[in-house]
């Protein structure tokens, strides 16, 4: 049986791009693995961060909209992404961040693991989870889905995707249900958060636009299109996103889910060594390059 191994990427909305680069590539030392444009609105960037190879399960992407108003997470949205930090590296990272200008709050314990929450320049929560077995700072530990009713989403994840329930934990303000994908791939945890007093969500900068699960092959993705139909979810047709193929659907609680293929990957249009250094455009926008380059603000990468 085909199973989902974990997350492929998370896509969020940010404010001005330079502050975003400074935080994710600078403070958090993620690699900018792709500098491209929003394929549907090529006058804005689409920035991809990840591990040095641009591996699935490490990819965080942003649509920086300079004019986006501040957003606020709430029911029906993904509300946080968490990086898995190696056990031996967690305290060093707290020291590093405290010495900089991130001022993290004290770590809390969640399902027996220490969790540190930072705020990115747009106020989005960035969680760092001390994780046994993590080998570097780049891979995701999990994302949190904020749901009014966790059950339908949990059912989709278990019955369709093959996730298993690890347990629930009460914390101030609500309850967290933890699910894990089978196997030991990175980014294999999904938390579903149910708040006692949910706020009204507002999309905008500092919020997550969608989360993408992995399909290791194109065949697996086709399998998911058909399998999801049986669960009452008609996905979009396969959309070519240059670095992966994508299908999308809205899960029962309202979060936009994507299933993205591992191939062809981020080295499809530039060498791994120099990924992220040049503005890459998909073939359909290449003829607009001069205009796009004149419109987009220049970005400076941290040394
Ligand atoms: Zn996506």
């Amino acid at each position: 049986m085909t199973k989902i191994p974990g997350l492929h990427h998370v896509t969020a909305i940010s404010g001005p791009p330079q502050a975003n680069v400074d935080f994710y590539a600078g403070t958090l030392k993620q690699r900018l693995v792709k500098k491209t444009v929003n394929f549907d609105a090529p006058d804005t960037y689409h920035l991809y961060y990840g591990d040095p190879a641009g591996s699935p399960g490490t990819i965080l992407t942003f649509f920086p909209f300079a004019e986006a108003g501040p957003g606020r997470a709430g029911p029906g949205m993904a509300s946080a992404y968490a990086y898995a930090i190696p056990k031996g590296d967690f305290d060093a990272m707290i020291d590093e961040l405290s010495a900089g200008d991130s001022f993290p709050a004290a770590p809390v314990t969640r399902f027996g693991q220490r969790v540190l929450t930072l705020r990115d320049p747009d106020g989005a929560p960035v969680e760092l989870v001390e994780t046994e077995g993590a080998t570097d700072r780049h891979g995701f530990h999990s994302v949190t889905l904020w749901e009014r009713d966790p059950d339908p989403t949990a059912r989709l994840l278990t019955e369709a995707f093959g996730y298993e329930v690890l347990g629930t934990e009460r914390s101030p303000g609500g309850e967290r249900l933890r699910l894990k994908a089978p196997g030991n791939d990175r980014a294999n945890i999904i938390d579903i958060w149910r708040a006692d007093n949910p706020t009204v969500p507002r999309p905008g900068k500092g919020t997550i636009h969608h989360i993408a699960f992995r399909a290791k092959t194109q065949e697996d993705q086709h399998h998911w299109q058909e399998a999801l139909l049986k669960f009452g979810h008609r996905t979009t047709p396969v959309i070519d996103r240059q670095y992966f193929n994508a299908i999308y659907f809205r899960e029962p609680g309202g979060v936009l889910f994507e299933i993205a293929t591992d191939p062809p990957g981020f080295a499809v249009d530039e060498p791994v060594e120099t990924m992220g250094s040049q503005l890459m455009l998909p073939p359909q926008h290449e003829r607009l390059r001069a205009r796009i380059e004149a419109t987009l603000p220049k970005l400076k990468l941290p040394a």
Side-chain angles (χ1 to χ4, degrees):
M1 187 187 153
T2 308
K3 292 188 173 157
I4 292 280
L7 296 167
H8 183 282
H9 67 267
V10 175
T11 292
I13 297 167
S14 79
Q18 186 63 56
N20 187 260
V21 169
D22 291 345
F23 181 79
Y24 286 97
T27 306
L28 288 187
K29 299 191 175 70
Q30 302 297 317
R31 178 173 182 191
L32 183 67
V33 293
K34 194 62 63 181
K35 184 165 67 173
T36 183
V37 293
N38 181 339
F39 291 0
D40 302 320
D43 56 342
T44 56
Y45 276 118
H46 192 182
L47 303 175
Y48 290 74
Y49 304 92
D51 73 351
S55 311
T58 73
I59 303 296
L60 177 61
T61 96
F62 286 93
F63 292 124
F65 290 118
E67 282 95 52
R72 183 174 57 204
M77 291 173 82
S79 54
Y81 37 85
Y83 284 103
I85 306 301
K87 228 171 159 51
D89 205 13
F90 191 76
D91 288 302
M93 202 161 174
I94 295 180
D95 291 346
E96 260 173 54
L97 291 165
S98 305
D101 44 16
S102 297
F103 308 111
V108 298
T109 302
R110 193 187 282 169
F111 290 99
Q113 291 172 304
R114 287 196 292 166
V115 181
L116 187 72
T117 303
L118 309 173
R119 295 279 163 181
D120 83 356
D122 298 300
V126 181
E127 297 174 340
L128 309 176
V129 181
E130 186 177 35
T131 307
E132 190 97 48
T135 51
D136 59 46
R137 295 178 178 189
H138 298 290
F140 285 126
H141 171 273
S142 57
V143 295
T144 299
L145 309 177
W146 189 339
E147 304 285 9
R148 208 170 280 283
D149 175 8
D151 292 349
T153 305
R155 245 190 333 266
L156 172 74
L157 290 170
T158 53
E159 292 172 14
F161 284 2
Y163 278 66
E164 45 188 82
V165 172
L166 291 188
T168 57
E169 195 174 272
R170 181 83 212 167
S171 52
E175 192 170 67
R176 185 175 292 272
L177 169 67
R178 175 156 291 185
L179 299 105
K180 179 185 165 294
N184 287 311
D185 286 282
R186 62 191 356 156
N188 59 0
I189 303 281
I190 297 282
D191 280 355
I192 302 180
W193 170 251
R194 189 190 53 73
D196 298 332
N197 297 301
T199 54
V200 178
R202 186 175 56 214
K205 63 184 178 185
T207 63
I208 297 170
H209 185 265
H210 66 267
I211 67 166
F213 294 88
R214 269 177 87 183
K216 289 190 175 180
T217 65
Q218 189 60 64
E219 292 68 43
D220 281 3
Q221 192 182 55
H222 287 313
H223 161 85
W224 290 116
Q225 279 191 299
E226 286 174 22
L228 282 163
L229 257 188
K230 298 199 186 98
F231 282 84
H233 297 287
R234 182 179 297 279
T235 70
T236 63
V238 173
I239 300 173
D240 180 355
R241 294 297 187 199
Q242 181 80 351
Y243 309 107
F244 46 85
N245 281 339
I247 57 173
Y248 303 87
F249 70 102
R250 225 166 259 284
E251 58 86 28
V255 182
L256 185 59
F257 276 9
E258 173 184 347
I259 297 176
T261 55
D262 285 6
F266 294 94
V268 71
D269 59 355
E270 58 183 333
V272 173
E273 298 72 38
T274 54
M275 283 191 317
S277 60
Q278 305 294 322
L279 178 70
M280 303 309 296
L281 297 175
Q284 67 268 32
H285 294 322
E286 197 54 62
R287 66 192 171 80
L288 300 172
R289 178 174 282 276
R291 210 166 81 198
I292 289 171
E293 284 183 343
T295 308
L296 292 172
K298 294 281 168 284
L299 292 182
K300 199 170 164 299
L301 277 173

